[in-house]
Amino acid sequence: MKSVIDYLDATSAAYPDAVAVSDGTHELTFSALRRAARGLASYLAARGVHGEAIGVYAQRRAAVIAAMLGCAASGNAYVPLNPDAPVEKTKKILAHAGVRLILGFADGEYDGAAEGSIYIRLDGNGSPLSAAASDAAVDSAPDTAADTAAVVDISPADTLYIIYTSGSTGEPKGIRKSHGAVMDFIEAYVTELGFTHEEIMGNQTPFCFDASAKDIYLMLRTGARLEIIPSEKFAFPVTLIEYLNERRITFISWVPSALAIVARLRTFRDILPVTLRRVAFVGEVFPLKDLEAWRQALPDIEYINLYGSSELAGVAALYHLPKDGPMPAVLPIGKPLSNSRIYLWEDGRLQSDRGEMLVASDALADEYIGDPAKTAAVFETIPIDGKPVRVLHTGDWARYDDDDNLVFLARSDAQIKYKGYRIELGEIEAAVEALDFIGRACCLYNAERERITVFCETSREGLNLRELNKALEGRLVDYMLPRRLVVLDALPLNANGKIDRPALKALL
């Protein structure tokens, strides 16, 4: 197989009438998904759209998957757009990626970001209704159902999608990923976890975030069912678990923040997920007390810590928590997937004990578009065993434990020098979150004032810095104790459910 569209063709042939994706109100079988994707691809090819970046407004709906695959099947790349993002941010992304054509939905609002571009409205199945532009008339609705043949030949090196994340400067950065990279990851992922067409996955990650690609292409490769969980369910954990049971969901891969809120509101006293078999988490550290609450309530479920980044097509390592015995003091990253190798690096040399993690894999992204300097710095070719190897500088520091599992230490940008000591802010954060009366916590450093600040949620009324540091005695050495405490009713979260660190930095 050369492309993810080959996945679609094979799975549609094997399970034509099985539901591929459902959003709670609308669903597409694999044959319907293929028909919609191929029809949209034919529509684009007939208009000479090839080798371009096409914007897709990525609402939480089944038809979004058809739109993305329609772009891919026509030899184009899709750019997922956050429908809730500020117009100016979306405009920056469109300009940076060179997008001239955008896919949206007939019942969606036109927000003005697409001015000057062709805007194609899709129906509930992902089929095009019309195309409009500021200087063009509306096309008549095309008949796409009749033309579902292959449109173009796609190679593994062709770009599948471009994902945008916020860079350290606040400007969006676009990361290009190929069909081959995604397939390389998916093959290893399926083998490692033994996924089959009987899996029913509960999607939490918005489709404008990169982690959602694991769900999409796992579904496409195996014939598993993808259930897009409505966003409002996550605000009411009991209702959320009811939904998991109603849809018979067997596997979830969520950010720890979404899992933690279920534990913290003691949801399992009222209801338990009865069909769930595996829980994976990715994107940030899962507070151990919240993970333990899941294990205590659901001891027979498999728990998997995933490690990846936006510069990878998927994840590069994972750790299966043992079902028996105590929780590890520090949750390991684990061991590399079969398609990846991870090296430790410091001071320009490979290290045997600790260092920055370098990932070598065919699942690496291609580049940061329009930024060759950053691409060269992050994706470096170094000699390993006498051969040149392309590696990703992750910016994450790790060490090995006694079982040869990698254990996360800190982000490179979260390591500080304070009073002559090298401090990893993640260690302080973990110590604070381990306290019984603390919910979420985030530790940041104000270099100008040389001050370590902890932001947290707490159940202890009137908590002050002195009380916090007293509780941290024995957990942290004196020079690591925070010098400022900010208690918030709720830490700000981004659209993916992670702590919004840039928003907290503005409060330093």
Side-chain angles (χ1 to χ4, degrees), residues 158-217:
D158 288 342
T159 304
L160 173 58
Y161 69 96
I162 300 168
I163 195 73
Y164 272 83
T165 63
S166 294
S168 58
T169 62
E171 293 296 314
K173 59 180 180 181
I175 303 172
R176 187 190 305 275
K177 303 191 187 185
S178 69
H179 285 258
V182 170
M183 296 173 72
D184 183 76
F185 158 68
I186 287 293
E187 293 300 321
Y189 195 43
V190 168
T191 299
E192 175 71 34
L193 295 183
F195 291 111
T196 72
H197 71 279
E198 295 178 345
E199 206 79 61
I200 302 177
M201 301 179 290
N203 166 263
Q204 171 262 327
T205 309
F207 295 134
C208 52
F209 285 87
D210 196 43
S212 65
K214 296 193 304 298
D215 293 345
I216 296 169
Y217 294 107

Side-chain angles (χ1 to χ4, degrees), residues 235-284:
F236 304 98
V238 170
T239 303
L240 174 62
I241 301 303
E242 288 175 345
Y243 195 83
L244 297 187
N245 291 340
E246 175 191 335
R247 312 303 286 191
R248 304 191 62 79
I249 288 169
T250 62
F251 173 68
I252 57 176
S253 178
W254 295 354
V255 294
S257 296
L259 295 166
I261 195 65
V262 174
R264 290 173 188 175
L265 293 182
R266 295 179 169 83
T267 309
F268 297 136
R269 292 182 178 181
D270 300 316
I271 188 171
L272 293 174
V274 295
T275 58
L276 198 59
R277 297 199 302 261
R278 286 188 279 195
V279 174
F281 38 95
V282 66
E284 57 186 356

Side-chain angles (χ1 to χ4, degrees), residues 290-370:
D290 298 318
L291 177 53
E292 181 61 15
W294 273 82
R295 291 181 78 211
Q296 289 292 330
L298 301 161
D300 295 327
I301 284 179
E302 182 180 4
Y303 298 93
I304 309 159
N305 187 23
L306 304 177
Y307 172 81
S309 75
S310 294
E311 289 78 10
L312 281 160
V315 301
L318 51 75
Y319 174 74
H320 297 267
L321 271 74
K323 286 197 172 182
D324 300 317
M327 286 277 291
V330 178
L331 192 63
I333 289 171
K335 295 181 173 67
L337 264 69
S338 60
N339 69 324
S340 300
R341 289 163 289 153
I342 299 180
Y343 305 96
L344 299 181
W345 179 265
E346 186 175 15
D347 297 329
R349 293 182 298 138
L350 295 176
Q351 305 293 325
S352 60
D353 52 353
R354 57 169 285 155
E356 181 195 7
M357 290 193 295
L358 306 186
V359 177
S361 173
D362 287 339
L364 297 187
D366 291 337
E367 63 172 349
Y368 297 97
I369 63 171

Side-chain angles (χ1 to χ4, degrees), residues 24-43:
T25 59
H26 191 71
E27 62 185 32
L28 293 171
T29 63
F30 281 100
S31 59
L33 180 63
R34 181 183 183 275
R35 186 164 56 250
R38 287 295 193 185
L40 176 57
S42 296
Y43 174 81

